[in-house]
């Protein structure tokens, strides 16, 4: 476990991208809420060293298609190395997503 843990939320000065992760009604997948009061970075891989694709707006609910181990992150729902795949090539730290579990809730990503 690294002594230096990183948070993965956007600052208040970040650009707010309010596009939906998936068009409403286009699938029947369960959506999970991002922690209240957080705008979470979406990254190209499971860690804070991966590039930011966009930042989710406050109150966003996201699908979790699969999950992958990666960098350990501390957020409002604890410390975890699980990253949630929300779209093709897009990941968010599970520590910021209210899944109701501190373990895997979806299949592991290939």
């Amino acid at each position: 476990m690294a002594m230096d843990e990183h948070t993965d939320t956007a600052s208040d000065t970040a650009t707010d991208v309010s596009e939906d992760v998936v068009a409403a009604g286009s699938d029947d997948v369960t959506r999970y809420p991002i922690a209240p009061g957080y705008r979470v970075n979406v990254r190209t891989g499971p860690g804070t060293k991966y590039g930011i694709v966009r930042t989710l707006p406050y109150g966003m609910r996201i699908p979790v298609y699969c999950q992958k181990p990666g960098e350990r992150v501390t957020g409002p729902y604890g410390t975890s190395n699980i990253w949630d795949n929300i779209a093709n090539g897009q990941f968010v730290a599970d520590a910021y997503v209210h899944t109701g579990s501190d373990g895997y809730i979806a299949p592991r990503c290939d």
Side-chain angles (χ1 to χ4, degrees):
M1 179 184 303
M3 296 293 284
D4 180 29
E5 295 180 358
H6 303 278
T7 58
D8 199 37
T9 57
S11 68
D12 287 335
T13 59
T15 302
D16 183 14
V17 177
S18 59
E19 66 188 50
D20 288 333
V21 172
V22 178
S26 67
D27 58 17
D28 292 327
V29 69
T30 301
R31 293 175 183 275
Y32 300 92
I34 296 296
Y38 289 90
R39 294 174 56 221
V40 177
N41 291 325
V42 178
R43 297 186 175 271
T44 59
T48 60
K49 291 180 177 54
Y50 288 89
I52 297 172
V53 175
R54 63 178 166 213
T55 300
L56 299 177
Y58 296 114
M60 187 75 176
R61 295 179 68 86
I62 59 167
V64 177
Y65 295 109
C66 62
Q67 293 175 298
K68 188 173 198 167
E71 178 183 345
R72 184 171 298 279
V73 171
T74 298
Y77 299 118
T79 300
S80 176
N81 73 332
I82 298 173
W83 286 72
D84 302 332
N85 175 256
I86 65 169
N88 188 24
Q90 298 182 23
F91 293 85
V92 296
D94 191 66
Y96 289 91
V97 182
H98 188 264
T99 62
S101 172
D102 61 358
Y104 287 87
I105 54 93
R108 287 202 185 206
C109 304
D110 292 334

